[in-house]
């Protein structure tokens, strides 16, 4: 038996919080020492009295495989002269009280399929990636000036074989990727894939942060899925939870009998809302563990970004019934984002934050938290409250639609209709809509149109695209049979057409984060609940006129102020017959009238559909003459971009 350990410098960095490849130091690694092939184990357990490696290879009896503690630093190491790949193991830890516990390896690369809880020795190297062109092309683009549309997926309940068996990562590559392409999403956002014991935690209460869940296959199987996404032009975002972890006996909680990964102070350690423990974000070893974990997912799984869960819970903690800022979390998040962007500036770091913390997407050198995107929870809550109200009462909630434009350029926002809005009795998006059967579908079409045309990137949870009527049932797959019903089928087609339009229309994303990209035409028509506005691209001719009617009333010859183009065409209307609407569309080219209206130099008259949204695009010639009497052409304008 040979005892080995990390270098003194690695130990120093780990305790300092700056060992950003700590997964190379800790965990189980095949290694050759002094000509002997074997497996090296290292674990941090500062309060342990003894630590042994146990598994099938020694019949779970560790007396011959005791680990050595290094210089009172709390790091234990052992080299076993045998290549133990695919063997299962745990650490048997004797605590200061004399009790013994069996713990999974915090740095394990693979785990047993639940309900079993042992770690698996796995060679993470060796996958042959084919996505080099994906990364080359990604680095040439700026996400801020591109369409971004995330399809949020829970892999275990998107679709099941025979209604009960999980699809594997490799099978999902064949099933999910073509579906995402068909719907014109740019990214798949996967709910947490870290190993977790309880299916219904959806991965938010993890035990194996370096171990993608074995429910759907091996780590190399997941690499294959992500590789196939990239080869198909789809980015992959991982929902990631650095704030808290579950308290199952084999996991991180009280790892060596005392608070190790969690706070010492019980008042901030226990997360009573979720029944979890909060990571001690002020502890250097925890910072090394978590920041390394993000970089690990980028390096080994080619993840394109992270949706960082529960940022509000990290930024503030409740002590004695009062909410206080957690400066440890602030420091951690800034360092996390700095290290991630230092490794790859094209990565998307998206904060799921419900607070009014300023400058979440501002650079750290200017005092920001350093994310490049934040979920716009205020917009989501406001527009859903507005849509759930009776149409005749919407005039009393008018500011729920207009208020978001008061702050939409204060951060770089993603507009989310996520899983959180369609569970726990909240009803599906379709079933939130008031009114009869037809009105529900009409208003959902309108809502999706408004989502696509409001400034900000887009996110939709699975099932919303075809009008899941029931809320999300996490133990079953989606209600795919609904597509046999006409209204669900045509809604599905509507959504695909809407997303296609979004991706090919620069006015809907090119100036997403600059106020030059949006202009109200009429934000004050609360009595009719009609809103009109302009979305703009970089070129002066790249504009869309958007008119939304949140009432069931049809209007003919309705006046809308517009910029001075000669003609406008209606290029999209949610009330089209083919989408299940009444057909109140504007078929013919609309000539503008040279009289000011709505603070615009001209106006037009159009049909306004019930519970509908209309997209109007100008003919590319602008009114007015040059000195030679010819008609002026539209000029381009160049505008600077706000970046992280």
């Amino acid at each position: 038996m040979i005892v080995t350990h990390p270098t003194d410098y690695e130990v120093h960095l780990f305790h300092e919080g700056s060992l950003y490849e700590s997964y190379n130091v800790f965990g189980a690694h095949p290694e050759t020492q002094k000509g002997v092939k074997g497996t090296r184990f290292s674990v941090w357990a500062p309060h342990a009295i003894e630590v042994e490696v146990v598994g099938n290879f020694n019949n779970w009896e560790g007396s011959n495989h005791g680990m050595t503690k290094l210089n009172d630093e709390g790091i234990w190491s052992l080299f076993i002269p045998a290549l133990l790949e695919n063997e299962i193991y745990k650490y048997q830890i004797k605590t200061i009280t004399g009790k013994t516990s069996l713990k999974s390896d915090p740095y394990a690369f693979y785990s047993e399929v639940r309900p079993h809880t042992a770690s698996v020795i796995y060679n993470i190297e060796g996958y042959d990636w084919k996505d080099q062109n994906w990364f080359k092309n990604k680095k040439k683009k700026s996400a801020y000036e591109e369409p971004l549309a995330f399809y949020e997926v829970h892999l275990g309940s998107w679709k099941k074989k025979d209604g009960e068996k999980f699809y594997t990562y490799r099978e999902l590559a064949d099933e999910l990727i073509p579906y995402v392409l068909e719907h014109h999403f740019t990214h798949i956002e996967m709910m947490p894939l870290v190993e977790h014991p309880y299916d219904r935690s959806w991965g938010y209460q993890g035990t194996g942060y370096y171990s993608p869940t074995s429910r759907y296959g091996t780590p190399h199987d997941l690499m294959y899925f992500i590789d196939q996404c990239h080869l198909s032009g789809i980015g992959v975002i991982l929902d990631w939870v650095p704030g808290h972890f579950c308290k199952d006996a084999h996991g991180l909680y009280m790892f060596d009998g005392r608070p190790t990964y969690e706070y010492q102070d019980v008042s901030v350690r226990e997360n009573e809302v979720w029944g979890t423990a909060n990571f001690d974000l002020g502890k250097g070893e925890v910072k090394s563990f978590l920041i390394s974990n993000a970089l690990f997912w980028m390096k080994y799984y080619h993840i394109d970004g992270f949706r960082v869960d529960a940022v509000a819970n990290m930024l503030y903690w409740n002590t004695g019934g009062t909410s206080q800022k957690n400066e440890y979390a602030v420091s951690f998040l800034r360092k996390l984002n700095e290290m991630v962007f230092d490794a790859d500036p094209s990565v998307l770091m998206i904060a799921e934050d419900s607070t009014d913390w300023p400058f979440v997407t501002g650079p750290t050198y200017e005092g920001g938290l350093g994310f490049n995107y934040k979920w716009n929870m205020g917009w989501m809550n406001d527009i859903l409250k507005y849509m759930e109200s009776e149409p005749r009462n919407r005039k009393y909630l008018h500011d729920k639609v207009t208020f978001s434009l008061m702050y939409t350029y204060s951060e770089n926002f993603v507009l989310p209709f996520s899983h959180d809005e369609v569970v726990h009795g909240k009803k599906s998006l379709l079933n939130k809509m008031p009114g009869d059967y037809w009105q529900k579908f009409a208003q959902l079409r309108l809502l999706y149109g408004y989502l696509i045309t409001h400034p900000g990137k887009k996110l939709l949870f699975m099932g919303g695209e075809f009008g899941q009527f029931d809320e999300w049932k996490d133990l079953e797959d989606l209600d795919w049979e609904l597509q046999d019903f006409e209204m669900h089928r045509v809604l599905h087609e509507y959504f695909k057409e809407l997303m296609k339009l979004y991706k090919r229309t620069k006015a809907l994303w090119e100036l997403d984060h600059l106020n030059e990209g949006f202009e109200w035409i009429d934000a004050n028509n609360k009595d009719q609940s009609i809103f009109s506005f302009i979305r703009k691209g970089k070129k002066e001719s790249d504009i869309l006129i958007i008119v939304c009617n949140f009432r069931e009333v049809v209007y003919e010859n309705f006046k809308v102020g517009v910029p001075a183009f000669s003609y406008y065409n209606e290029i999209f209307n949610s009330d089209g017959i083919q989408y299940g609407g009444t057909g109140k569309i504007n078929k013919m080219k609309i000539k503008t009238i040279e009289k000011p209206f709505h603070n615009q130099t001209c106006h037009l008259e159009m049909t306004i559909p019930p519970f509908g949204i209309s997209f109007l695009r100008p003919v590319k010639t602008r009114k007015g003459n040059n000195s030679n009497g010819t008609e002026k052409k539209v000029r381009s304008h160049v505008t600077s971009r706000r970046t992280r």
Side-chain angles (χ1 to χ4, degrees), residues 22-32 38-42 78-79 82-83 89 105 107 109 121-122 124 300:
S22 59
Y23 49 82
N24 288 329
V25 173
F26 297 94
H29 298 271
E31 195 170 275
T32 299
T39 305
R40 172 176 57 85
F41 297 85
S42 295
L78 173 68
F79 179 81
L83 288 174
Y89 71 104
D105 188 345
Y107 285 89
F109 295 147
I121 299 170
Y122 190 88
I124 197 70
Y300 283 100

PDB file of all heavy atoms in Angstrom, residues 22-32 38-42 78-79 82-83 89 105 107 109 121-122 124 300:
ATOM      1  N   SER A  22     -10.109  21.389  -8.471  1.00  0.00           N
ATOM      2  CA  SER A  22     -10.008  20.520  -7.294  1.00  0.00           C
ATOM      3  C   SER A  22     -10.452  19.099  -7.591  1.00  0.00           C
ATOM      4  O   SER A  22     -10.088  18.163  -6.867  1.00  0.00           O
ATOM      5  CB  SER A  22     -10.817  21.103  -6.133  1.00  0.00           C
ATOM      6  OG  SER A  22     -12.181  21.254  -6.473  1.00  0.00           O
ATOM      7  N   TYR A  23     -11.214  18.901  -8.682  1.00  0.00           N
ATOM      8  CA  TYR A  23     -11.645  17.557  -9.060  1.00  0.00           C
ATOM      9  C   TYR A  23     -10.463  16.696  -9.508  1.00  0.00           C
ATOM     10  O   TYR A  23     -10.567  15.468  -9.535  1.00  0.00           O
ATOM     11  CB  TYR A  23     -12.680  17.635 -10.180  1.00  0.00           C
ATOM     12  CG  TYR A  23     -12.290  18.521 -11.337  1.00  0.00           C
ATOM     13  CD1 TYR A  23     -11.458  18.067 -12.350  1.00  0.00           C
ATOM     14  CD2 TYR A  23     -12.729  19.842 -11.403  1.00  0.00           C
ATOM     15  CE1 TYR A  23     -11.078  18.884 -13.401  1.00  0.00           C
ATOM     16  CE2 TYR A  23     -12.359  20.676 -12.450  1.00  0.00           C
ATOM     17  CZ  TYR A  23     -11.532  20.198 -13.448  1.00  0.00           C
ATOM     18  OH  TYR A  23     -11.143  21.012 -14.474  1.00  0.00           O
ATOM     19  N   ASN A  24      -9.306  17.322  -9.852  1.00  0.00           N
ATOM     20  CA  ASN A  24      -8.105  16.546 -10.173  1.00  0.00           C
ATOM     21  C   ASN A  24      -7.378  16.080  -8.927  1.00  0.00           C
ATOM     22  O   ASN A  24      -6.602  15.114  -8.977  1.00  0.00           O
ATOM     23  CB  ASN A  24      -7.139  17.381 -11.031  1.00  0.00           C
ATOM     24  CG  ASN A  24      -7.632  17.567 -12.445  1.00  0.00           C
ATOM     25  OD1 ASN A  24      -8.314  16.704 -12.986  1.00  0.00           O
ATOM     26  ND2 ASN A  24      -7.300  18.704 -13.052  1.00  0.00           N
ATOM     27  N   VAL A  25      -7.609  16.763  -7.818  1.00  0.00           N
ATOM     28  CA  VAL A  25      -6.929  16.445  -6.561  1.00  0.00           C
ATOM     29  C   VAL A  25      -7.762  15.486  -5.727  1.00  0.00           C
ATOM     30  O   VAL A  25      -7.240  14.507  -5.160  1.00  0.00           O
ATOM     31  CB  VAL A  25      -6.646  17.735  -5.773  1.00  0.00           C
ATOM     32  CG1 VAL A  25      -6.100  17.429  -4.387  1.00  0.00           C
ATOM     33  CG2 VAL A  25      -5.690  18.629  -6.559  1.00  0.00           C
ATOM     34  N   PHE A  26      -9.073  15.739  -5.671  1.00  0.00           N
ATOM     35  CA  PHE A  26      -9.953  14.935  -4.823  1.00  0.00           C
ATOM     36  C   PHE A  26     -10.731  13.920  -5.655  1.00  0.00           C
ATOM     37  O   PHE A  26     -10.815  14.015  -6.886  1.00  0.00           O
ATOM     38  CB  PHE A  26     -10.904  15.841  -4.054  1.00  0.00           C
ATOM     39  CG  PHE A  26     -10.198  16.766  -3.101  1.00  0.00           C
ATOM     40  CD1 PHE A  26      -9.858  18.057  -3.482  1.00  0.00           C
ATOM     41  CD2 PHE A  26      -9.836  16.333  -1.828  1.00  0.00           C
ATOM     42  CE1 PHE A  26      -9.181  18.902  -2.617  1.00  0.00           C
ATOM     43  CE2 PHE A  26      -9.159  17.161  -0.958  1.00  0.00           C
ATOM     44  CZ  PHE A  26      -8.824  18.459  -1.350  1.00  0.00           C
ATOM     45  N   GLY A  27     -11.303  12.935  -4.967  1.00  0.00           N
ATOM     46  CA  GLY A  27     -12.049  11.897  -5.650  1.00  0.00           C
ATOM     47  C   GLY A  27     -11.192  10.674  -5.895  1.00  0.00           C
ATOM     48  O   GLY A  27     -10.152  10.470  -5.253  1.00  0.00           O
ATOM     49  N   ALA A  28     -11.629   9.833  -6.818  1.00  0.00           N
ATOM     50  CA  ALA A  28     -10.934   8.585  -7.139  1.00  0.00           C
ATOM     51  C   ALA A  28     -10.366   8.682  -8.547  1.00  0.00           C
ATOM     52  O   ALA A  28     -11.108   8.934  -9.501  1.00  0.00           O
ATOM     53  CB  ALA A  28     -11.898   7.411  -7.045  1.00  0.00           C
ATOM     54  N   HIS A  29      -9.028   8.475  -8.677  1.00  0.00           N
ATOM     55  CA  HIS A  29      -8.362   8.647  -9.965  1.00  0.00           C
ATOM     56  C   HIS A  29      -7.437   7.470 -10.246  1.00  0.00           C
ATOM     57  O   HIS A  29      -6.610   7.112  -9.393  1.00  0.00           O
ATOM     58  CB  HIS A  29      -7.533   9.937  -9.966  1.00  0.00           C
ATOM     59  CG  HIS A  29      -8.345  11.173  -9.785  1.00  0.00           C
ATOM     60  ND1 HIS A  29      -8.901  11.862 -10.840  1.00  0.00           N
ATOM     61  CD2 HIS A  29      -8.716  11.848  -8.654  1.00  0.00           C
ATOM     62  CE1 HIS A  29      -9.566  12.917 -10.382  1.00  0.00           C
ATOM     63  NE2 HIS A  29      -9.471  12.922  -9.061  1.00  0.00           N
ATOM     64  N   PRO A  30      -7.539   6.875 -11.438  1.00  0.00           N
ATOM     65  CA  PRO A  30      -6.534   5.889 -11.836  1.00  0.00           C
ATOM     66  C   PRO A  30      -5.186   6.586 -11.990  1.00  0.00           C
ATOM     67  O   PRO A  30      -5.104   7.699 -12.516  1.00  0.00           O
ATOM     68  CB  PRO A  30      -7.055   5.366 -13.177  1.00  0.00           C
ATOM     69  CG  PRO A  30      -7.978   6.424 -13.674  1.00  0.00           C
ATOM     70  CD  PRO A  30      -8.555   7.094 -12.479  1.00  0.00           C
ATOM     71  N   GLU A  31      -4.130   5.950 -11.500  1.00  0.00           N
ATOM     72  CA  GLU A  31      -2.835   6.611 -11.455  1.00  0.00           C
ATOM     73  C   GLU A  31      -1.728   5.566 -11.403  1.00  0.00           C
ATOM     74  O   GLU A  31      -1.945   4.440 -10.941  1.00  0.00           O
ATOM     75  CB  GLU A  31      -2.790   7.509 -10.210  1.00  0.00           C
ATOM     76  CG  GLU A  31      -1.685   8.531 -10.184  1.00  0.00           C
ATOM     77  CD  GLU A  31      -1.882   9.512  -9.024  1.00  0.00           C
ATOM     78  OE1 GLU A  31      -2.629  10.499  -9.182  1.00  0.00           O
ATOM     79  OE2 GLU A  31      -1.281   9.266  -7.973  1.00  0.00           O
ATOM     80  N   THR A  32      -0.551   5.926 -11.870  1.00  0.00           N
ATOM     81  CA  THR A  32       0.616   5.061 -11.758  1.00  0.00           C
ATOM     82  C   THR A  32       1.635   5.726 -10.847  1.00  0.00           C
ATOM     83  O   THR A  32       2.024   6.880 -11.089  1.00  0.00           O
ATOM     84  CB  THR A  32       1.251   4.801 -13.128  1.00  0.00           C
ATOM     85  OG1 THR A  32       0.294   4.146 -13.969  1.00  0.00           O
ATOM     86  CG2 THR A  32       2.484   3.897 -12.995  1.00  0.00           C
ATOM     87  N   GLY A  38      -2.655   1.896 -10.116  1.00  0.00           N
ATOM     88  CA  GLY A  38      -3.635   1.775  -9.056  1.00  0.00           C
ATOM     89  C   GLY A  38      -4.638   2.902  -9.081  1.00  0.00           C
ATOM     90  O   GLY A  38      -4.792   3.602 -10.089  1.00  0.00           O
ATOM     91  N   THR A  39      -5.308   3.123  -7.968  1.00  0.00           N
ATOM     92  CA  THR A  39      -6.336   4.153  -7.849  1.00  0.00           C
ATOM     93  C   THR A  39      -6.029   5.014  -6.635  1.00  0.00           C
ATOM     94  O   THR A  39      -5.833   4.499  -5.527  1.00  0.00           O
ATOM     95  CB  THR A  39      -7.730   3.531  -7.711  1.00  0.00           C
ATOM     96  OG1 THR A  39      -7.965   2.652  -8.808  1.00  0.00           O
ATOM     97  CG2 THR A  39      -8.809   4.601  -7.684  1.00  0.00           C
ATOM     98  N   ARG A  40      -5.970   6.323  -6.869  1.00  0.00           N
ATOM     99  CA  ARG A  40      -5.706   7.268  -5.782  1.00  0.00           C
ATOM    100  C   ARG A  40      -7.024   7.857  -5.299  1.00  0.00           C
ATOM    101  O   ARG A  40      -7.853   8.309  -6.093  1.00  0.00           O
ATOM    102  CB  ARG A  40      -4.783   8.389  -6.258  1.00  0.00           C
ATOM    103  CG  ARG A  40      -4.622   9.521  -5.229  1.00  0.00           C
ATOM    104  CD  ARG A  40      -3.623  10.560  -5.693  1.00  0.00           C
ATOM    105  NE  ARG A  40      -3.961  11.137  -6.981  1.00  0.00           N
ATOM    106  CZ  ARG A  40      -4.802  12.167  -7.152  1.00  0.00           C
ATOM    107  NH1 ARG A  40      -5.436  12.691  -6.104  1.00  0.00           N
ATOM    108  NH2 ARG A  40      -5.030  12.655  -8.353  1.00  0.00           N
ATOM    109  N   PHE A  41      -7.208   7.878  -3.981  1.00  0.00           N
ATOM    110  CA  PHE A  41      -8.391   8.458  -3.343  1.00  0.00           C
ATOM    111  C   PHE A  41      -7.954   9.630  -2.474  1.00  0.00           C
ATOM    112  O   PHE A  41      -6.968   9.536  -1.736  1.00  0.00           O
ATOM    113  CB  PHE A  41      -9.099   7.435  -2.453  1.00  0.00           C
ATOM    114  CG  PHE A  41      -9.638   6.239  -3.180  1.00  0.00           C
ATOM    115  CD1 PHE A  41      -8.817   5.147  -3.443  1.00  0.00           C
ATOM    116  CD2 PHE A  41     -10.960   6.201  -3.597  1.00  0.00           C
ATOM    117  CE1 PHE A  41      -9.311   4.037  -4.110  1.00  0.00           C
ATOM    118  CE2 PHE A  41     -11.466   5.091  -4.270  1.00  0.00           C
ATOM    119  CZ  PHE A  41     -10.630   4.001  -4.525  1.00  0.00           C
ATOM    120  N   SER A  42      -8.681  10.739  -2.552  1.00  0.00           N
ATOM    121  CA  SER A  42      -8.454  11.871  -1.662  1.00  0.00           C
ATOM    122  C   SER A  42      -9.799  12.461  -1.279  1.00  0.00           C
ATOM    123  O   SER A  42     -10.701  12.570  -2.131  1.00  0.00           O
ATOM    124  CB  SER A  42      -7.587  12.947  -2.320  1.00  0.00           C
ATOM    125  OG  SER A  42      -6.292  12.480  -2.580  1.00  0.00           O
ATOM    126  N   LEU A  78      -5.102   8.111  -0.051  1.00  0.00           N
ATOM    127  CA  LEU A  78      -4.723   6.699  -0.084  1.00  0.00           C
ATOM    128  C   LEU A  78      -4.551   6.277  -1.534  1.00  0.00           C
ATOM    129  O   LEU A  78      -5.360   6.643  -2.398  1.00  0.00           O
ATOM    130  CB  LEU A  78      -5.796   5.837   0.580  1.00  0.00           C
ATOM    131  CG  LEU A  78      -5.618   4.316   0.473  1.00  0.00           C
ATOM    132  CD1 LEU A  78      -4.401   3.864   1.288  1.00  0.00           C
ATOM    133  CD2 LEU A  78      -6.872   3.598   0.939  1.00  0.00           C
ATOM    134  N   PHE A  79      -3.509   5.505  -1.822  1.00  0.00           N
ATOM    135  CA  PHE A  79      -3.315   4.878  -3.122  1.00  0.00           C
ATOM    136  C   PHE A  79      -3.462   3.379  -2.960  1.00  0.00           C
ATOM    137  O   PHE A  79      -2.756   2.751  -2.170  1.00  0.00           O
ATOM    138  CB  PHE A  79      -1.921   5.222  -3.669  1.00  0.00           C
ATOM    139  CG  PHE A  79      -1.616   4.588  -5.000  1.00  0.00           C
ATOM    140  CD1 PHE A  79      -2.081   5.152  -6.176  1.00  0.00           C
ATOM    141  CD2 PHE A  79      -0.856   3.422  -5.070  1.00  0.00           C
ATOM    142  CE1 PHE A  79      -1.791   4.579  -7.405  1.00  0.00           C
ATOM    143  CE2 PHE A  79      -0.564   2.836  -6.286  1.00  0.00           C
ATOM    144  CZ  PHE A  79      -1.033   3.412  -7.462  1.00  0.00           C
ATOM    145  N   ALA A  82      -4.344  -1.099  -7.367  1.00  0.00           N
ATOM    146  CA  ALA A  82      -5.239  -1.900  -8.216  1.00  0.00           C
ATOM    147  C   ALA A  82      -6.087  -0.919  -9.011  1.00  0.00           C
ATOM    148  O   ALA A  82      -6.558   0.086  -8.470  1.00  0.00           O
ATOM    149  CB  ALA A  82      -6.128  -2.812  -7.373  1.00  0.00           C
ATOM    150  N   LEU A  83      -6.247  -1.194 -10.312  1.00  0.00           N
ATOM    151  CA  LEU A  83      -7.127  -0.355 -11.120  1.00  0.00           C
ATOM    152  C   LEU A  83      -8.556  -0.782 -10.845  1.00  0.00           C
ATOM    153  O   LEU A  83      -8.958  -1.909 -11.161  1.00  0.00           O
ATOM    154  CB  LEU A  83      -6.781  -0.505 -12.604  1.00  0.00           C
ATOM    155  CG  LEU A  83      -5.460   0.144 -13.020  1.00  0.00           C
ATOM    156  CD1 LEU A  83      -5.143  -0.203 -14.473  1.00  0.00           C
ATOM    157  CD2 LEU A  83      -5.506   1.648 -12.849  1.00  0.00           C
ATOM    158  N   TYR A  89     -17.847   2.314  -4.315  1.00  0.00           N
ATOM    159  CA  TYR A  89     -17.115   2.591  -3.082  1.00  0.00           C
ATOM    160  C   TYR A  89     -17.800   3.695  -2.301  1.00  0.00           C
ATOM    161  O   TYR A  89     -18.633   4.452  -2.827  1.00  0.00           O
ATOM    162  CB  TYR A  89     -15.670   2.982  -3.387  1.00  0.00           C
ATOM    163  CG  TYR A  89     -15.515   4.349  -4.011  1.00  0.00           C
ATOM    164  CD1 TYR A  89     -15.065   5.447  -3.269  1.00  0.00           C
ATOM    165  CD2 TYR A  89     -15.827   4.572  -5.355  1.00  0.00           C
ATOM    166  CE1 TYR A  89     -14.920   6.707  -3.842  1.00  0.00           C
ATOM    167  CE2 TYR A  89     -15.687   5.836  -5.942  1.00  0.00           C
ATOM    168  CZ  TYR A  89     -15.233   6.896  -5.183  1.00  0.00           C
ATOM    169  OH  TYR A  89     -15.097   8.143  -5.747  1.00  0.00           O
ATOM    170  N   ASP A 105     -18.660   9.820  -2.282  1.00  0.00           N
ATOM    171  CA  ASP A 105     -17.541  10.706  -2.571  1.00  0.00           C
ATOM    172  C   ASP A 105     -18.071  12.019  -3.147  1.00  0.00           C
ATOM    173  O   ASP A 105     -18.731  12.025  -4.183  1.00  0.00           O
ATOM    174  CB  ASP A 105     -16.606  10.034  -3.577  1.00  0.00           C
ATOM    175  CG  ASP A 105     -15.312  10.788  -3.792  1.00  0.00           C
ATOM    176  OD1 ASP A 105     -15.230  11.970  -3.399  1.00  0.00           O
ATOM    177  OD2 ASP A 105     -14.387  10.204  -4.373  1.00  0.00           O
ATOM    178  N   TYR A 107     -16.614  14.151  -4.799  1.00  0.00           N
ATOM    179  CA  TYR A 107     -16.006  14.401  -6.110  1.00  0.00           C
ATOM    180  C   TYR A 107     -16.148  13.208  -7.053  1.00  0.00           C
ATOM    181  O   TYR A 107     -15.466  13.158  -8.085  1.00  0.00           O
ATOM    182  CB  TYR A 107     -14.526  14.742  -5.946  1.00  0.00           C
ATOM    183  CG  TYR A 107     -14.265  16.131  -5.419  1.00  0.00           C
ATOM    184  CD1 TYR A 107     -14.192  16.382  -4.046  1.00  0.00           C
ATOM    185  CD2 TYR A 107     -14.071  17.203  -6.281  1.00  0.00           C
ATOM    186  CE1 TYR A 107     -13.934  17.663  -3.564  1.00  0.00           C
ATOM    187  CE2 TYR A 107     -13.810  18.482  -5.810  1.00  0.00           C
ATOM    188  CZ  TYR A 107     -13.746  18.705  -4.448  1.00  0.00           C
ATOM    189  OH  TYR A 107     -13.493  19.974  -3.976  1.00  0.00           O
ATOM    190  N   PHE A 109     -17.215  10.896 -10.037  1.00  0.00           N
ATOM    191  CA  PHE A 109     -17.634  11.204 -11.397  1.00  0.00           C
ATOM    192  C   PHE A 109     -18.871  10.414 -11.830  1.00  0.00           C
ATOM    193  O   PHE A 109     -19.442  10.692 -12.877  1.00  0.00           O
ATOM    194  CB  PHE A 109     -16.496  10.921 -12.380  1.00  0.00           C
ATOM    195  CG  PHE A 109     -15.292  11.799 -12.187  1.00  0.00           C
ATOM    196  CD1 PHE A 109     -14.018  11.299 -12.441  1.00  0.00           C
ATOM    197  CD2 PHE A 109     -15.412  13.116 -11.752  1.00  0.00           C
ATOM    198  CE1 PHE A 109     -12.903  12.111 -12.275  1.00  0.00           C
ATOM    199  CE2 PHE A 109     -14.310  13.923 -11.579  1.00  0.00           C
ATOM    200  CZ  PHE A 109     -13.037  13.419 -11.837  1.00  0.00           C
ATOM    201  N   ILE A 121     -16.243   4.293  -9.411  1.00  0.00           N
ATOM    202  CA  ILE A 121     -14.970   4.745  -9.962  1.00  0.00           C
ATOM    203  C   ILE A 121     -15.087   4.737 -11.485  1.00  0.00           C
ATOM    204  O   ILE A 121     -15.369   3.706 -12.089  1.00  0.00           O
ATOM    205  CB  ILE A 121     -13.818   3.839  -9.498  1.00  0.00           C
ATOM    206  CG1 ILE A 121     -13.720   3.878  -7.970  1.00  0.00           C
ATOM    207  CG2 ILE A 121     -12.496   4.273 -10.131  1.00  0.00           C
ATOM    208  CD1 ILE A 121     -12.766   2.843  -7.395  1.00  0.00           C
ATOM    209  N   TYR A 122     -14.899   5.913 -12.091  1.00  0.00           N
ATOM    210  CA  TYR A 122     -15.185   6.072 -13.519  1.00  0.00           C
ATOM    211  C   TYR A 122     -14.094   6.902 -14.165  1.00  0.00           C
ATOM    212  O   TYR A 122     -13.700   7.945 -13.628  1.00  0.00           O
ATOM    213  CB  TYR A 122     -16.534   6.765 -13.701  1.00  0.00           C
ATOM    214  CG  TYR A 122     -17.050   6.784 -15.115  1.00  0.00           C
ATOM    215  CD1 TYR A 122     -17.820   5.728 -15.601  1.00  0.00           C
ATOM    216  CD2 TYR A 122     -16.760   7.842 -15.965  1.00  0.00           C
ATOM    217  CE1 TYR A 122     -18.304   5.741 -16.911  1.00  0.00           C
ATOM    218  CE2 TYR A 122     -17.235   7.862 -17.269  1.00  0.00           C
ATOM    219  CZ  TYR A 122     -18.006   6.818 -17.738  1.00  0.00           C
ATOM    220  OH  TYR A 122     -18.476   6.822 -19.031  1.00  0.00           O
ATOM    221  N   ILE A 124     -13.267   9.518 -16.463  1.00  0.00           N
ATOM    222  CA  ILE A 124     -14.007  10.598 -17.113  1.00  0.00           C
ATOM    223  C   ILE A 124     -13.402  10.977 -18.460  1.00  0.00           C
ATOM    224  O   ILE A 124     -14.048  11.604 -19.302  1.00  0.00           O
ATOM    225  CB  ILE A 124     -14.046  11.838 -16.183  1.00  0.00           C
ATOM    226  CG1 ILE A 124     -15.138  12.831 -16.609  1.00  0.00           C
ATOM    227  CG2 ILE A 124     -12.697  12.522 -16.116  1.00  0.00           C
ATOM    228  CD1 ILE A 124     -16.522  12.336 -16.355  1.00  0.00           C
ATOM    229  N   TYR A 300     -15.523  19.089 -19.165  1.00  0.00           N
ATOM    230  CA  TYR A 300     -15.760  17.686 -19.494  1.00  0.00           C
ATOM    231  C   TYR A 300     -17.095  17.441 -20.204  1.00  0.00           C
ATOM    232  O   TYR A 300     -17.245  16.437 -20.894  1.00  0.00           O
ATOM    233  CB  TYR A 300     -15.667  16.825 -18.236  1.00  0.00           C
ATOM    234  CG  TYR A 300     -14.227  16.586 -17.819  1.00  0.00           C
ATOM    235  CD1 TYR A 300     -13.659  17.335 -16.789  1.00  0.00           C
ATOM    236  CD2 TYR A 300     -13.438  15.666 -18.483  1.00  0.00           C
ATOM    237  CE1 TYR A 300     -12.336  17.142 -16.422  1.00  0.00           C
ATOM    238  CE2 TYR A 300     -12.114  15.464 -18.124  1.00  0.00           C
ATOM    239  CZ  TYR A 300     -11.566  16.208 -17.092  1.00  0.00           C
ATOM    240  OH  TYR A 300     -10.243  16.019 -16.745  1.00  0.00           O
TER     241      TYR A 300
END
